[in-house]
Amino acid sequence: MSPTVSRGSLAPGSSLVVGRDAAANIVLDTPNVSRLHALIERASLEHWFVTDLGSRNGTWLNGHRLEAKERTAVLPDDDLRLGPHPIDLSRLALGVHAAGSGVHLDVRGLSRSVGRANHRVVDQVGFTAVPGEMVAIMGPSGAGKTSLLSTLAGSTPPSSGHVLLDGLSFYKHHELFRRAVGYVPQEDVMHRSLTAEEVLFFQGRLSFPPEITDDELRARVARTLDRLELDEVADQIVGDEVRRGLSGGQRKRLNVAMELLGEPALLLLDEPTSGLDARAAMGLIRQCRRLAAEGRTVLMTLHQPRVEAFALFDKVLLLAKGGKVAYFGPPGGVADYFATRTNLPASTAVNPADYALDALDPDEAKHRRSPSEWQQDYRRSKDREGNVTARRWAKSRKDARKQARERKPPKAGFLRQTAVLVRRQVRLTLRDRYGLAVQLAQAPIIGVLSVLLFGRARFDPRFFKDDITPALFVLVAAAVWFGCNNVCREIVGDRAVLARERRGALRPTAYLASKVVVGGVLVAAQVLALLAVLVPVLDLQGAGWALVGVPLLAGWCSMTMGLLISAVARTEVHAIGLVPLVILPQIMLSGVLLPVTGERASAASSLLSNLAPLRWAYGAMLQTEFAAETARGMATRSPIVTFWSRVGFATDQLSVNLLVLVGLSVVCVVCAWAVIRRSPVR
């Protein structure tokens, strides 16, 4: 769909600037276009030049990104795009152009196999959708509807076949079309503690370039909420099973709004009406119909819609089991097409959607026609010729010229994304008041119990009188518990949101950094609260920086282990179950029960203890408290020092212990980052 023209065309010898800013000659009101995106010059009737002005999403010529500030010749039949938006030079004019136009979608012989047995879930699918059309993808269970949609979105690669957007390969030019395709998953993937406005704001802040101000983004969020009739609940939290929030229909619309915020040209929705009553489902389909009427290409998977909803679609793609195309065409032709190819009585075709699905289900159809027969029949039909072949993209594409060199697009700034994610994480943490209260109450409770146990030196006089080592162990053990337990559910709980955001510009490094920053502050608050209870009561003699720094470092190191647990766990329950398997062995290998170094230690325990942060933290606390300049350190012949020496911690290795804790933290963070980076993107 070409942009609408408001006033006069560009004469030969003239030039103009295209951008999002009102100062541009042509204004494209979309976040995918920079404020001043590109300079276009018309040398003659048939000769043009374009210069990218340092745009964020690039200026693309025939599928290749142009170098910034480089003047490049363009012919009228070349494919020129600012970001994902095409520019028709023959209709180029001054004024405001409409954004959000759709793309011409050609799917040709698309197949996808899964598993070691190469089971075919999408089989030679081919169809065509043009801008302004809304297409329903339907079929019985096992027809591969979701598999097809995720392949069209680029989330899963096909085994064979092509997906062409305006004649260009989507897979070969994925960076060009990445922002032009919006994929709405079946689940309502969003943070339930945020309000509807906050969900869209943080989505835009992560996806849009930094040149878009907060005020500009909030205005765009408000328009998007209004378009989907969510403006009245903008300040209401999404809600979950515990906290009431948006209704099911409102969450579905917010799910769509998250993709609509970026003005996609192709909108893919996976069963957006699932879980909704008939009225809410009908309302959502009508709203998608309006989005298609704006010029977008809209595809959605559905399960047996009402007759009124079925009639709103321009085209219907019916799949038989195994992902085989049984029909593609207008919904009005479904009943006639299947009536001539099935034994089902035409009188049952009150709802054409139900009638077609009954015919495609081998268990329901009396003649038990196989999916392969449906596929072959459609390939030979006139419907395929008229609705697919005749509508394919007919314009030729030229190879990019030498001056249109390929280069990697700029990535979103790490620090900016980290700041946004920290801001969101803080808000999520504060919204979970009960969980935060439980976490903050742990330190005072452990501190009070420690005072009751150790405040009056209640030890067996036959052992060591006035022994401070149990209190030191509890201090660092509590810090290790705080760090691991606090964050063990963070990443696994965010897995669906993380997978969706990684389809955009989210950096896994920034995401992990935000978890480290917010989790680290919470651990620091817990450790300081514990010290505030213990220090006034216990006679601690170590250096102040070490008494604070060692538990903090132990807590932060354990926190990175907790993040690694959260990254590898499949569910939150699994993550919680893994925490004791990480903490309890550390207690056993810490040296407080039996020596883990020296002659009395076994080789296996010595080796395994090297991986236990609690062992190094406990050793560092002993070295701090029994340093040479302290009263306990000077009492070289006291039984307590004899015991401490037998544990195996030397008096001059404090720096080594601290460095090992730092090293273990780095290793855990890198491993967690690698797991996140390899996780699937939806």
Side-chain angles (χ1 to χ4, degrees):
M1 180 178 179
S2 300
T4 57
V5 178
S6 61
R7 58 181 184 271
S9 60
L10 185 64
S14 305
S15 63
L16 52 77
V17 174
V18 184
R20 195 181 72 255
D21 196 274
N25 303 112
I26 294 180
V27 178
L28 287 175
D29 186 18
T30 167
N32 299 319
V33 172
S34 298
R35 294 192 182 279
L36 300 178
H37 195 109
L39 172 68
I40 298 178
E41 306 170 79
R42 189 171 190 178
S44 64
L45 291 176
E46 299 295 330
H47 294 87
W48 302 71
F49 290 91
V50 62
T51 304
D52 183 85
L53 300 178
S55 64
R56 183 75 181 180
N57 291 321
T59 301
W60 302 76
L61 182 63
N62 297 321
H64 291 265
R65 184 167 181 155
L66 303 182
E67 293 284 351
K69 308 298 183 181
E70 184 173 304
R71 189 169 181 257
T72 305
V74 185
L75 296 178
D77 59 346
D78 283 335
D79 184 84
L80 177 64
R81 294 173 185 267
L82 306 188
H85 303 288
I87 298 295
D88 189 348
L89 294 177
S90 64
R91 300 185 61 185
L92 192 64
L94 298 175
V96 179
H97 287 225
S101 57
V103 294
H104 192 288
L105 172 65
D106 283 327
V107 181
R108 303 184 182 184
L110 196 68
S111 297
R112 180 186 165 201
S113 301
V114 298
R116 294 182 179 179
N118 287 326
H119 175 65
R120 187 69 64 91
V121 293
V122 178
D123 187 12
Q124 295 293 311
V125 172
F127 65 94
T128 301
V130 300
E133 280 189 342
M134 186 167 72
V135 180
I137 302 175
M138 299 176 57
S141 178
K145 300 181 294 296
T146 297
S147 297
L148 172 61
L149 207 67
S150 63
T151 303
L152 293 177
S155 301
T156 53
S159 304
S160 61
H162 303 280
V163 175
L164 304 178
L165 301 182
D166 289 348
L168 294 172
S169 171
F170 175 48
Y171 302 114
K172 291 182 179 179
H173 303 93
H174 184 264
E175 189 58 38
L176 166 59
F177 290 112
R178 180 170 56 87
R179 296 184 181 277
V181 179
Y183 176 57
V184 182
Q186 181 177 348
E187 303 86 2
D188 302 329
V189 180
M190 60 196 72
H191 288 290
R192 300 300 183 92
S193 300
L194 299 178
T195 66
E197 189 272 338
E198 289 170 343
V199 167
L200 296 187
F201 177 82
F202 286 114
Q203 172 83 3
R205 197 71 286 167
L206 289 173
S207 303
F208 297 164
E211 64 181 20
I212 296 181
T213 64
D214 283 356
D215 291 340
E216 186 178 356
L217 176 57
R218 287 192 176 92
R220 189 172 297 278
V221 167
R223 290 197 300 270
T224 303
L225 291 170
D226 181 64
R227 289 165 71 181
L228 292 174
E229 300 178 5
L230 292 170
D231 50 310
E232 294 183 357
V233 294
D235 296 327
Q236 190 171 335
I237 65 169
V238 176
D240 51 25
E241 295 80 5
V242 178
R243 294 164 294 184
R244 291 191 59 184
L246 303 182
S247 66
Q250 290 168 337
R251 283 201 304 270
K252 291 291 183 182
R253 280 180 275 154
L254 182 59
N255 207 23
V256 176
M258 292 174 68
E259 297 298 327
L260 188 62
L261 189 66
E263 299 289 352
L266 175 62
L267 188 59
L268 307 172
L269 303 98
D270 187 11
E271 297 188 19
T273 60
S274 64
L276 301 181
D277 57 56
R279 182 178 179 182
M282 189 67 189
L284 181 58
I285 292 176
R286 285 198 179 102
Q287 287 175 324
C288 292
R289 174 72 266 178
R290 288 193 288 269
L291 295 178
E294 296 174 0
R296 289 179 183 81
T297 312
V298 179
L299 278 71
M300 69 172 70
T301 59
L302 282 177
H303 273 305
Q304 296 177 296
R306 293 168 53 182
V307 176
E308 299 88 342
F310 192 65
L312 291 176
F313 291 91
D314 298 290
K315 294 290 187 294
V316 178
L317 175 65
L318 287 165
L319 300 175
K321 288 190 176 182
K324 296 174 171 59
V325 178
Y327 174 82
F328 179 77
V334 169
D336 292 338
Y337 181 86
F338 283 93
T340 60
R341 293 168 172 82
T342 181
N343 293 334
L344 293 175
S347 59
T348 63
V350 177
N351 186 335
D354 292 341
Y355 185 72
L357 292 177
D358 288 343
L360 291 175
D361 192 340
D363 297 329
E364 294 292 337
K366 294 180 180 180
H367 51 48
R368 298 188 182 277
R369 201 174 193 190
S370 70
S372 297
E373 290 177 305
W374 282 115
Q375 183 186 51
Q376 294 301 324
D377 198 5
Y378 178 71
R379 287 180 177 177
R380 294 189 296 263
S381 68
K382 294 181 180 180
D383 296 82
R384 181 176 184 273
E385 179 66 27
N387 294 315
V388 180
T389 307
R391 302 198 315 155
R392 284 177 175 168
W393 184 266
K395 296 181 182 179
S396 61
R397 288 296 185 209
K398 296 183 178 181
D399 294 332
R401 292 186 244 305
K402 292 182 179 179
Q403 59 264 40
R405 293 189 296 270
E406 190 75 41
R407 68 184 181 90
K408 292 183 178 181
K411 293 183 178 181
F414 165 75
L415 293 178
R416 185 180 70 87
Q417 277 205 351
T418 301
V420 173
L421 291 168
V422 166
R423 183 177 172 186
R424 184 177 71 179
Q425 186 63 31
V426 168
R427 193 161 301 185
L428 290 171
T429 302
L430 294 177
R431 290 275 168 83
D432 185 12
R433 296 179 181 178
Y434 180 78
L436 182 62
V438 170
Q439 290 175 327
L440 294 179
Q442 291 176 4
I445 292 174
I446 294 175
V448 170
L449 289 175
S450 299
V451 169
L452 294 176
L453 287 173
F454 311 132
R456 296 182 179 178
R458 296 181 177 178
F459 304 104
D460 190 337
R462 293 173 298 174
F463 192 50
F464 303 125
K465 185 179 179 181
D466 205 20
D467 185 3
I468 198 65
T469 56
L472 298 179
F473 177 77
V474 168
L475 177 59
V476 291
V480 168
W481 166 259
F482 295 153
C484 192
N485 183 66
N486 287 353
V487 300
C488 68
R489 295 179 297 170
E490 286 294 332
I491 298 175
V492 66
D494 274 355
R495 182 158 292 163
V497 175
L498 177 60
R500 183 173 188 172
E501 291 179 343
R502 285 192 60 212
R503 288 193 69 249
L506 179 66
R507 286 174 173 261
T509 312
Y511 172 81
L512 189 58
S514 69
K515 297 294 185 182
V516 170
V517 170
V518 178
V521 171
L522 181 57
V523 171
Q526 292 173 298
V527 170
L528 293 177
L530 181 59
L531 288 171
V533 177
L534 293 180
V535 170
V537 178
L538 301 181
D539 182 23
L540 299 178
Q541 301 177 8
W545 69 267
L547 291 177
V548 176
V550 172
L552 275 178
L553 188 55
W556 290 336
C557 181
S558 184
M559 177 190 66
T560 63
M561 297 186 74
L563 290 174
L564 179 57
I565 289 174
S566 190
V568 300
R570 294 188 176 184
T571 66
E572 293 186 47
V573 174
H574 292 164
I576 295 172
L578 287 173
V579 171
L581 296 180
V582 172
I583 300 296
L584 291 177
Q586 291 191 60
I587 295 176
M588 299 169 66
L589 297 170
S590 64
V592 71
L593 302 177
L594 289 172
V596 292
T597 61
E599 297 180 357
R600 297 183 60 196
S602 67
S605 64
S606 296
L607 180 63
L608 292 175
S609 68
N610 291 329
L611 302 176
L614 185 54
R615 172 252 170 118
W616 300 102
Y618 180 48
M621 286 302 297
L622 290 175
Q623 291 155 0
T624 298
E625 190 64 20
F626 293 93
E629 61 272 13
T630 65
R632 291 190 175 92
M634 289 185 288
T636 56
R637 295 185 179 180
S638 69
I640 187 67
V641 175
T642 304
F643 165 76
W644 169 58
S645 300
R646 289 205 311 270
V647 170
F649 297 108
T651 58
D652 57 348
Q653 292 184 348
L654 175 60
S655 60
V656 173
N657 287 12
L658 299 181
L659 287 175
V660 172
L661 287 173
V662 173
L664 289 174
S665 302
V666 173
V667 170
C668 290
V669 168
V670 171
C671 291
W673 170 84
V675 173
I676 293 173
R677 192 170 181 270
R678 291 175 60 88
S679 60
V681 179
R682 64 169 66 182

